[in-house]
């Protein structure tokens, strides 16, 4: 590859490929550079360290989750229905990722666990999306007057069992959907849904 054609996205594509083959413990910047046909110094020009590269991989993966959710959060219409669609989409996307490519899901989870700042930012983005929906519900009179930011974070935390990768082994258990429906009912009562 011509080094001038090297972009952060190409590096991230290669890093994902290498991670798929070797896993996070054995993946090195040299491996990524080898796949690209460049020196490891070329990779370091875009990502100053292995940690920075892994953080970027985690951020990209998490953006694949938050992007479609942002679309739901930005929609208009009844907030209760949007909130349920947002949660259903989050849960379905995490389950699909875990089911369709369990090794890569586990790899991304390990990388994201190490990328605490990236995960903190991701949770902030998702909580803000929830806050937007809840704030719309308050403004429309669907929900009682609550602090949307605090309520958004509370909803995110209350539903963690259904979307946090730590709980992935439970997601295929019978009764998970019924358990979510019970949590959903509590959320609606807590928001004072009318």
């Amino acid at each position: 590859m011509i080094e001038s054609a090297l972009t952060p996205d190409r590096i991230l594509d290669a890093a994902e490929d290498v991670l798929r083959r070797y896993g996070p413990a054995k993946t090195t910047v040299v491996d990524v550079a080898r796949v690209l046909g460049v020196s490891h110094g070329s990779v370091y020009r875009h990502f100053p360290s292995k940690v920075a590269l892994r953080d970027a991989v985690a951020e990209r993966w998490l953006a694949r989750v938050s992007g479609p959710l942002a679309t739901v959060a930005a929609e208009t219409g009844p907030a209760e229905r949007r909130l349920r669609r947002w949660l259903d989409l989050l849960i379905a996307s995490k389950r699909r990722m875990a089911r369709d490519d369990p090794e890569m899901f586990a790899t991304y989870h390990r990388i994201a666990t190490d990328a605490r700042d990236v995960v903190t930012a991701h949770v902030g983005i998702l909580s803000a999306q929830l806050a937007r929906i809840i704030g719309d519900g308050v403004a429309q009179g669907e929900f009682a007057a609550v602090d949307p930011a605090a309520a958004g974070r509370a909803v995110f935390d209350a539903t963690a069992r259904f979307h946090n990768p730590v709980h992935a082994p439970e997601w295929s258990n019978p009764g998970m959907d019924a358990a979510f429906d019970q949590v959903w009912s509590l959320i609606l009562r807590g928001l004072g849904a009318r």
Side-chain angles (χ1 to χ4, degrees):
M1 168 184 287
I2 299 170
E3 291 196 24
S4 63
L6 191 63
T7 64
D9 279 338
R10 289 189 65 132
I11 294 168
L12 292 173
D13 289 342
E16 288 179 352
D17 183 49
V18 172
L19 283 164
R20 183 177 303 282
R21 281 190 270 163
Y22 302 121
K26 295 182 181 179
T27 295
T28 67
V29 172
V30 172
D31 296 326
V32 174
R34 189 176 303 121
V35 166
L36 292 164
V38 299
S39 71
H40 65 281
S42 297
V43 174
Y44 283 127
R45 279 196 275 283
H46 293 275
F47 299 97
S49 67
K50 179 180 178 179
V51 170
L53 179 58
R54 287 173 62 129
D55 284 357
V57 168
E59 188 172 23
R60 186 188 214 198
W61 181 63
L62 294 170
R64 289 179 186 138
V65 173
S66 63
L69 295 170
T71 301
V72 174
E75 291 173 355
T76 57
E80 180 180 327
R81 189 171 29 212
R82 285 171 44 220
L83 182 59
R84 179 63 191 242
R85 278 190 343 99
W86 190 97
L87 290 166
D88 286 346
L89 180 58
L90 174 62
I91 292 165
S93 67
K94 292 287 185 87
R95 284 184 183 179
R96 185 179 54 257
M97 294 165 117
R99 181 191 63 241
D100 292 351
D101 196 349
E103 285 124 9
M104 201 60 184
F105 184 78
T107 294
Y108 280 126
H109 175 60
R110 282 192 297 275
I111 291 169
T113 299
D114 293 340
R116 293 191 185 280
D117 291 342
V118 172
V119 171
T120 298
H122 176 69
V123 170
I125 289 166
L126 297 184
S127 296
Q129 291 174 2
L130 288 167
R132 179 177 181 169
I133 296 169
I134 292 167
D136 288 350
V138 171
Q140 296 164 1
E142 287 182 68
F143 301 146
V146 296
D147 174 355
R153 181 56 194 250
V155 168
F156 184 82
D157 291 343
T159 58
R161 178 179 180 209
F162 307 99
H163 57 75
N164 187 316
V166 169
H167 299 282
E170 301 173 45
W171 294 345
S172 60
N173 291 350
M176 279 301 281
D177 293 337
F180 177 73
D181 286 338
Q182 291 176 348
V183 171
W184 172 246
S185 293
L186 286 172
I187 288 169
L188 290 180
R189 284 197 296 276
L191 290 172
R194 306 197 196 309

